[in-house]
Protein backbone atom coordinates (compact mmCIF):
# COMPACT_ATOMS: atom_id res chain seq x y z
CA UNK A 1 0.00 0.00 0.00
CA UNK A 2 1.33 3.47 -0.83
CA UNK A 3 1.61 6.11 1.89
CA UNK A 4 -1.31 7.99 0.33
CA UNK A 5 -3.47 4.84 0.43
CA UNK A 6 -2.48 4.25 4.06
CA UNK A 7 -3.45 7.83 4.95
CA UNK A 8 -6.81 7.48 3.20
CA UNK A 9 -7.61 4.22 4.97
CA UNK A 10 -6.51 5.51 8.40
CA UNK A 11 -8.53 8.66 7.84
CA UNK A 12 -11.67 6.56 7.26
CA UNK A 13 -10.99 4.30 10.22
CA UNK A 14 -10.49 7.26 12.59
CA UNK A 15 -13.31 9.41 11.15
CA UNK A 16 -10.84 12.18 10.46
CA UNK A 17 -10.91 14.99 7.94
CA UNK A 18 -7.80 16.55 6.35
CA UNK A 19 -7.87 20.29 5.66
CA UNK A 20 -4.95 21.70 3.65
CA UNK A 21 -3.93 25.26 2.94
CA UNK A 22 -3.37 26.37 -0.67
CA UNK A 23 0.42 26.53 0.01
CA UNK A 24 0.76 22.86 0.96
CA UNK A 25 2.86 20.44 -1.09
CA UNK A 26 0.99 19.03 -4.14
CA UNK A 27 0.79 15.52 -2.66
CA UNK A 28 -0.73 16.91 0.56
CA UNK A 29 -3.30 18.94 -1.39
CA UNK A 30 -4.17 15.80 -3.36
CA UNK A 31 -4.83 13.69 -0.27
CA UNK A 32 -6.85 16.40 1.54
CA UNK A 33 -10.63 16.51 1.82
CA UNK A 34 -10.57 20.24 1.32
CA UNK A 35 -8.00 22.77 0.09
CA UNK A 36 -8.52 26.47 0.72
CA UNK A 37 -7.42 29.82 2.12
CA UNK A 38 -7.37 30.67 5.81
CA UNK A 39 -11.02 31.76 6.10
CA UNK A 40 -12.33 28.86 4.05
CA UNK A 41 -10.44 26.35 6.18
CA UNK A 42 -11.79 27.85 9.45
CA UNK A 43 -15.27 27.79 7.97
CA UNK A 44 -14.87 24.18 6.83
CA UNK A 45 -13.66 23.16 10.29
CA UNK A 46 -16.79 24.76 11.83
CA UNK A 47 -19.17 23.21 9.32
CA UNK A 48 -17.74 19.73 9.77
CA UNK A 49 -20.30 17.59 11.61
CA UNK A 50 -19.15 13.99 11.24
CA UNK A 51 -15.40 14.00 11.85
CA UNK A 52 -14.05 13.84 15.39
CA UNK A 53 -10.47 14.58 14.28
CA UNK A 54 -9.37 17.49 12.08
CA UNK A 55 -5.86 17.20 10.68
CA UNK A 56 -4.78 20.70 9.77
CA UNK A 57 -2.11 20.65 7.06
CA UNK A 58 -1.04 24.28 7.41
CA UNK A 59 0.75 26.43 10.00
CA UNK A 60 0.18 27.01 13.74
CA UNK A 61 -2.21 29.97 13.72
CA UNK A 62 -4.64 28.28 11.31
CA UNK A 63 -4.78 25.10 13.42
CA UNK A 64 -5.14 27.19 16.58
CA UNK A 65 -8.15 29.01 15.09
CA UNK A 66 -9.74 25.65 14.21
CA UNK A 67 -9.16 24.42 17.79
CA UNK A 68 -10.66 27.61 19.24
CA UNK A 69 -13.73 27.36 17.00
CA UNK A 70 -14.18 23.61 17.56
CA UNK A 71 -13.52 22.88 21.23
CA UNK A 72 -15.15 19.43 21.06
CA UNK A 73 -12.91 18.16 18.23
CA UNK A 74 -9.32 16.98 18.23
CA UNK A 75 -7.30 19.33 16.01
CA UNK A 76 -3.92 17.97 14.93
CA UNK A 77 -0.95 19.84 13.42
CA UNK A 78 1.26 17.26 11.64
CA UNK A 79 4.49 19.22 12.11
CA UNK A 80 5.11 21.10 15.36
CA UNK A 81 7.67 23.32 13.63
CA UNK A 82 5.12 24.69 11.16
CA UNK A 83 4.95 28.17 12.66
CA UNK A 84 4.20 31.32 10.69
CA UNK A 85 7.01 33.82 11.39
CA UNK A 86 4.66 36.75 10.78
CA UNK A 87 2.33 35.51 13.52
CA UNK A 88 5.26 35.53 15.97
CA UNK A 89 5.93 39.23 15.22
CA UNK A 90 3.08 40.61 17.34
CA UNK A 91 3.16 40.05 21.09
CA UNK A 92 0.51 40.95 23.65
CA UNK A 93 2.94 43.47 25.19
CA UNK A 94 3.27 45.23 21.85
CA UNK A 95 -0.53 45.49 21.51
CA UNK A 96 -0.78 46.91 25.04
CA UNK A 97 1.99 49.41 24.26
CA UNK A 98 0.09 50.75 21.24
CA UNK A 99 -3.20 50.85 23.14
CA UNK A 100 -1.63 53.35 25.56
CA UNK A 101 -1.06 55.74 22.63
CA UNK A 102 -4.42 55.07 20.93
CA UNK A 103 -6.85 54.13 23.72
CA UNK A 104 -9.95 54.69 21.55
CA UNK A 105 -8.72 52.87 18.45
CA UNK A 106 -10.11 49.37 17.95
CA UNK A 107 -7.54 46.62 17.41
CA UNK A 108 -8.04 44.59 14.22
CA UNK A 109 -5.78 41.59 13.84
CA UNK A 110 -5.08 39.58 10.74
CA UNK A 111 -5.70 35.90 11.54
CA UNK A 112 -1.95 35.39 11.05
CA UNK A 113 -1.44 35.96 14.79
CA UNK A 114 -1.08 33.76 17.82
CA UNK A 115 -4.19 32.98 19.91
CA UNK A 116 -2.74 35.04 22.78
CA UNK A 117 -2.71 38.15 20.55
CA UNK A 118 -6.22 37.43 19.18
CA UNK A 119 -7.44 37.37 22.77
CA UNK A 120 -6.40 41.04 23.01
CA UNK A 121 -8.06 42.31 19.86
CA UNK A 122 -11.54 43.55 19.05
CA UNK A 123 -12.00 41.63 15.82
CA UNK A 124 -10.03 39.43 13.41
CA UNK A 125 -9.87 39.58 9.62
CA UNK A 126 -8.28 37.63 6.79
CA UNK A 127 -6.85 38.73 3.46
CA UNK A 128 -10.27 37.89 1.98
CA UNK A 129 -12.51 40.00 4.24
CA UNK A 130 -10.43 42.86 5.74
CA UNK A 131 -12.36 45.57 3.85
CA UNK A 132 -15.76 44.44 5.21
CA UNK A 133 -14.33 43.99 8.72
CA UNK A 134 -12.72 47.45 8.82
CA UNK A 135 -15.76 49.15 7.29
CA UNK A 136 -17.99 47.53 9.91
CA UNK A 137 -16.22 49.50 12.66
CA UNK A 138 -17.45 52.89 13.78
CA UNK A 139 -13.91 54.31 13.96
CA UNK A 140 -11.59 56.11 11.55
CA UNK A 141 -8.34 55.26 13.31
CA UNK A 142 -7.55 51.58 13.76
CA UNK A 143 -4.62 49.64 15.18
CA UNK A 144 -3.90 46.88 12.67
CA UNK A 145 -1.36 44.05 12.82
CA UNK A 146 0.87 42.29 12.20
CA UNK A 147 1.33 42.77 8.43
CA UNK A 148 2.41 46.30 7.48
CA UNK A 149 1.74 45.70 3.77
CA UNK A 150 -1.80 44.55 4.45
CA UNK A 151 -2.30 47.55 6.77
CA UNK A 152 -1.24 49.92 3.97
CA UNK A 153 -3.44 48.18 1.42
CA UNK A 154 -6.41 48.14 3.81
CA UNK A 155 -5.96 51.89 4.41
CA UNK A 156 -6.02 52.46 0.64
CA UNK A 157 -9.17 50.36 0.21
CA UNK A 158 -11.14 51.79 3.14
CA UNK A 159 -9.86 55.38 3.36
CA UNK A 160 -9.32 54.93 7.13
CA UNK A 161 -6.13 55.54 9.13
CA UNK A 162 -4.50 52.22 9.95
CA UNK A 163 -1.65 52.22 12.44
CA UNK A 164 0.53 49.16 11.76
CA UNK A 165 1.42 47.20 14.90
CA UNK A 166 4.29 46.41 15.06
CA UNK A 167 5.52 49.10 12.64
CA UNK A 168 7.52 46.59 10.63
CA UNK A 169 5.52 43.31 10.46
CA UNK A 170 5.96 41.31 7.25
CA UNK A 171 5.80 37.92 5.56
CA UNK A 172 9.33 36.80 4.57
CA UNK A 173 8.00 34.78 1.64
CA UNK A 174 5.92 37.56 0.07
CA UNK A 175 8.76 40.06 0.38
CA UNK A 176 10.72 37.95 -2.10
CA UNK A 177 8.60 39.24 -4.98
CA UNK A 178 10.13 42.18 -6.89
CA UNK A 179 8.59 44.30 -9.70
CA UNK A 180 11.80 43.90 -11.78
CA UNK A 181 11.19 40.15 -12.10
CA UNK A 182 7.59 40.76 -13.16
CA UNK A 183 8.73 43.28 -15.78
CA UNK A 184 11.03 40.66 -17.32
CA UNK A 185 8.27 38.04 -17.28
CA UNK A 186 5.83 40.50 -18.85
CA UNK A 187 8.20 40.91 -21.81
CA UNK A 188 8.09 37.15 -22.34
CA UNK A 189 4.33 36.81 -21.67
CA UNK A 190 2.82 40.14 -22.84
CA UNK A 191 -0.80 38.95 -22.52
CA UNK A 192 -0.40 37.56 -19.02
CA UNK A 193 -2.38 38.90 -16.07
CA UNK A 194 -0.39 39.57 -12.90
CA UNK A 195 -2.11 38.38 -9.70
CA UNK A 196 -0.60 39.04 -6.27
CA UNK A 197 -1.36 38.51 -2.57
CA UNK A 198 -1.90 41.65 -0.42
CA UNK A 199 1.09 40.62 1.74
CA UNK A 200 3.31 41.70 -1.22
CA UNK A 201 4.92 45.14 -1.24
CA UNK A 202 3.09 48.29 -2.45
CA UNK A 203 5.34 48.26 -5.56
CA UNK A 204 4.12 44.76 -6.44
CA UNK A 205 0.48 45.64 -5.78
CA UNK A 206 0.82 48.70 -8.02
CA UNK A 207 1.83 46.69 -11.07
CA UNK A 208 -0.70 43.89 -10.50
CA UNK A 209 -3.92 43.34 -12.43
CA UNK A 210 -5.49 41.71 -9.38
CA UNK A 211 -4.73 41.69 -5.64
CA UNK A 212 -6.45 39.16 -3.39
CA UNK A 213 -6.34 36.26 -0.96
CA UNK A 214 -5.22 32.90 -2.31
CA UNK A 215 -8.78 31.69 -2.93
CA UNK A 216 -9.82 35.01 -4.44
CA UNK A 217 -6.93 34.55 -6.89
CA UNK A 218 -8.32 31.12 -7.80
CA UNK A 219 -11.75 32.68 -8.37
CA UNK A 220 -10.27 35.50 -10.50
CA UNK A 221 -8.38 33.01 -12.70
CA UNK A 222 -11.47 30.85 -13.24
CA UNK A 223 -13.55 33.85 -14.33
CA UNK A 224 -10.83 35.50 -16.45
CA UNK A 225 -10.65 35.23 -20.24
CA UNK A 226 -6.85 35.42 -20.02
CA UNK A 227 -4.83 32.28 -20.69
CA UNK A 228 -1.59 33.11 -18.85
CA UNK A 229 -1.06 34.33 -15.28
CA UNK A 230 2.02 35.56 -13.45
CA UNK A 231 1.44 34.58 -9.83
CA UNK A 232 2.78 36.62 -6.89
CA UNK A 233 2.19 34.32 -3.95
CA UNK A 234 3.69 31.18 -2.44
CA UNK A 235 4.39 28.62 -5.16
CA UNK A 236 2.06 25.98 -3.63
CA UNK A 237 -0.93 27.82 -5.08
CA UNK A 238 0.19 26.96 -8.61
CA UNK A 239 -0.71 23.30 -8.05
CA UNK A 240 -4.35 24.16 -7.31
CA UNK A 241 -4.47 26.71 -10.13
CA UNK A 242 -3.18 24.18 -12.67
CA UNK A 243 -5.51 21.45 -11.43
CA UNK A 244 -8.57 23.70 -11.65
CA UNK A 245 -7.57 25.30 -14.98
CA UNK A 246 -5.73 22.66 -17.02
CA UNK A 247 -5.82 24.74 -20.21
CA UNK A 248 -4.35 27.88 -18.64
CA UNK A 249 -0.69 28.65 -18.02
CA UNK A 250 0.79 29.77 -14.68
CA UNK A 251 4.20 31.29 -14.05
CA UNK A 252 5.48 32.09 -10.60
CA UNK A 253 6.57 35.73 -10.27
CA UNK A 254 9.54 34.32 -8.32
CA UNK A 255 9.95 30.58 -8.47
CA UNK A 256 11.79 30.30 -5.16
CA UNK A 257 8.98 31.98 -3.20
CA UNK A 258 8.52 29.09 -0.82
CA UNK A 259 7.10 29.26 2.71
CA UNK A 260 9.38 26.73 4.45
CA UNK A 261 6.92 26.39 7.32
CA UNK A 262 4.06 25.35 5.04
CA UNK A 263 6.35 22.77 3.43
CA UNK A 264 7.12 21.05 6.74
CA UNK A 265 4.00 18.94 6.29
CA UNK A 266 5.04 15.84 4.38
CA UNK A 267 3.08 12.66 3.65
CA UNK A 268 5.19 10.84 6.27
CA UNK A 269 4.37 13.42 8.93
CA UNK A 270 0.72 13.46 7.95
CA UNK A 271 0.54 9.67 8.32
CA UNK A 272 2.35 9.76 11.66
CA UNK A 273 0.04 12.53 12.85
CA UNK A 274 -3.08 10.51 12.04
CA UNK A 275 -1.69 7.27 13.43
CA UNK A 276 -0.53 8.68 16.77
CA UNK A 277 -3.04 11.56 16.94
CA UNK A 278 -0.38 14.19 17.26
CA UNK A 279 0.33 17.05 17.64
CA UNK A 280 -2.80 17.97 19.52
CA UNK A 281 -3.41 21.73 19.31
CA UNK A 282 -4.43 23.02 22.73
CA UNK A 283 -5.26 26.64 23.51
CA UNK A 284 -5.68 27.53 27.21
CA UNK A 285 -9.40 28.07 28.01
CA UNK A 286 -9.09 31.70 29.13
CA UNK A 287 -7.21 32.62 25.91
CA UNK A 288 -9.50 30.54 23.67
CA UNK A 289 -12.64 32.14 25.12
CA UNK A 290 -11.48 35.68 24.28
CA UNK A 291 -9.91 34.78 20.92
CA UNK A 292 -13.12 33.03 19.92
CA UNK A 293 -15.10 36.25 20.43
CA UNK A 294 -12.76 38.08 18.00
CA UNK A 295 -13.07 35.29 15.41
CA UNK A 296 -16.86 35.07 15.78
CA UNK A 297 -17.20 38.83 15.34
CA UNK A 298 -15.34 38.44 12.03
CA UNK A 299 -17.76 35.72 10.90
CA UNK A 300 -20.71 37.85 11.97
CA UNK A 301 -19.52 40.71 9.71
CA UNK A 302 -18.59 38.62 6.76
CA UNK A 303 -21.29 35.98 7.13
CA UNK A 304 -20.18 32.84 5.39
CA UNK A 305 -19.20 34.57 2.15
CA UNK A 306 -15.83 34.14 0.54
P1 LIG B 1 -4.74 33.36 2.63
O1 LIG B 1 -5.79 33.57 3.68
O2 LIG B 1 -4.89 34.27 1.46
O3 LIG B 1 -4.69 31.94 2.23
O4 LIG B 1 -3.35 33.77 3.25
C1 LIG B 1 -2.77 33.10 4.30
C2 LIG B 1 -1.32 33.31 4.35
O5 LIG B 1 -0.66 32.85 5.22
C3 LIG B 1 -0.73 34.09 3.29
O6 LIG B 1 0.64 34.09 3.41
FE1 LIG C 1 3.18 33.07 7.30
FE2 LIG C 1 4.07 34.13 5.03
FE3 LIG C 1 4.10 31.50 5.36
FE4 LIG C 1 1.79 32.83 5.04
S1 LIG C 1 3.46 32.58 3.54
S2 LIG C 1 2.20 31.22 6.53
S3 LIG C 1 2.24 34.72 6.16
S4 LIG C 1 5.29 33.01 6.50
Amino acid sequence: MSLTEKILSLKKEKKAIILAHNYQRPEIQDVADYVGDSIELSRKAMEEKDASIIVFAAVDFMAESAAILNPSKKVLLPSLGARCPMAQMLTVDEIKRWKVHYPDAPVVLYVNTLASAKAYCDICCTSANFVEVINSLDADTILFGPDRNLAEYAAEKTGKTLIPIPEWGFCPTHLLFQPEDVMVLRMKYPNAKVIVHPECSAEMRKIADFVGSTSKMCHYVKESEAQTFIVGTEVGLLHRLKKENPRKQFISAYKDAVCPNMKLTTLERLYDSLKHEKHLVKVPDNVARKARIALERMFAVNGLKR
Side-chain angles (χ1 to χ4, degrees):
M1 229 201 262
S2 72
L3 204 44
T4 300
E5 286 165 341
K6 281 187 191 169
I7 290 170
L8 291 174
S9 123
L10 202 52
K11 186 172 71 114
K12 210 164 158 192
E13 187 189 309
K14 297 213 173 198
K15 284 196 162 119
I17 180 171
I18 301 173
L19 302 182
H21 188 263
N22 288 322
Y23 296 160
Q24 289 290 296
R25 293 168 184 270
E27 62 275 23
I28 300 290
Q29 295 191 29
D30 292 346
V31 85
D33 294 283
Y34 191 79
V35 180
D37 70 3
S38 50
I39 183 118
E40 290 175 332
L41 296 180
S42 294
R43 200 171 60 211
K44 255 316 191 234
M46 283 198 298
E47 284 169 0
E48 181 52 45
K49 296 277 176 281
D50 302 329
S52 50
I53 297 178
I54 299 173
V55 187
F56 224 96
V59 287
D60 55 354
F61 72 85
M62 296 185 190
E64 270 189 355
S65 295
I68 291 166
L69 293 165
N70 300 277
S72 62
K73 290 179 189 140
K74 271 187 190 166
V75 176
L76 306 176
L77 184 66
S79 171
L80 260 191
R83 312 182 80 192
C84 167
M86 186 205 277
Q88 319 286 327
M89 290 175 189
L90 185 60
T91 61
V92 171
D93 282 350
E94 182 77 1
I95 301 173
K96 287 182 180 166
R97 195 168 75 76
W98 282 96
K99 269 308 260 187
V100 172
H101 298 294
Y102 295 91
D104 298 326
V107 179
V108 179
L109 292 191
Y110 192 25
V111 284
N112 297 39
T113 37
L114 299 177
S116 53
K118 286 187 180 80
Y120 270 84
C121 81
D122 292 288
I123 187 165
C124 290
C125 72
T126 74
S127 53
N129 61 21
F130 62 91
V131 172
E132 290 92 332
V133 167
I134 289 168
N135 282 338
S136 76
L137 299 171
D138 186 19
D140 286 327
T141 301
I142 288 163
L143 293 168
F144 186 96
D147 187 19
R148 191 188 168 95
N149 281 324
L150 187 60
E152 282 173 10
Y153 186 51
E156 263 170 48
K157 297 294 267 185
T158 61
K160 298 197 181 194
T161 303
L162 267 72
I163 318 285
I165 57 168
E167 286 160 289
W168 47 268
F170 65 97
C171 162
T173 304
H174 284 88
L175 280 202
L176 295 170
F177 295 105
Q178 302 286 321
E180 296 79 359
D181 297 331
V182 175
M183 257 130 70
V184 173
L185 287 169
R186 265 192 163 143
M187 281 191 257
K188 193 166 172 200
Y189 305 99
N191 297 322
K193 295 283 183 205
V194 176
I195 58 175
V196 311
H197 196 275
E199 288 173 16
C200 289
S201 66
E203 293 73 27
M204 281 296 291
R205 292 196 310 268
K206 216 173 286 164
I207 59 163
D209 295 292
F210 179 77
V211 182
S213 77
T214 52
S215 288
K216 282 195 170 178
M217 286 186 195
C218 293
H219 185 69
Y220 174 85
V221 164
K222 233 181 228 169
E223 299 294 307
S224 172
E225 302 271 294
Q227 289 304 305
T228 307
F229 300 84
I230 297 169
V231 185
T233 195
E234 211 273 353
V235 294
L237 187 68
L238 273 77
H239 179 68
R240 178 170 163 193
L241 288 170
K242 285 177 192 160
K243 218 167 151 177
E244 291 181 351
N245 308 275
R247 284 198 232 284
K248 295 185 175 176
Q249 185 184 20
F250 301 95
I251 297 107
S252 174
Y254 183 65
K255 65 176 176 37
D256 294 327
V258 172
C259 173
N261 304 283
M262 283 284 183
K263 300 312 195 229
L264 283 174
T265 312
T266 57
L267 281 180
E268 288 78 5
R269 287 175 180 170
L270 186 57
Y271 175 71
D272 203 45
S273 169
L274 258 174
K275 191 167 164 63
H276 301 289
E277 299 187 9
K278 66 180 195 184
H279 303 277
L280 186 64
V281 180
K282 267 267 163 237
V283 179
D285 285 349
N286 57 333
V287 173
R289 202 172 354 97
K290 291 192 208 154
R292 189 183 169 108
I293 295 171
L295 285 165
E296 282 178 346
R297 280 189 187 141
M298 168 182 81
F299 281 108
V301 169
N302 198 233
L304 291 182
K305 285 189 293 170
R306 177 176 24 237

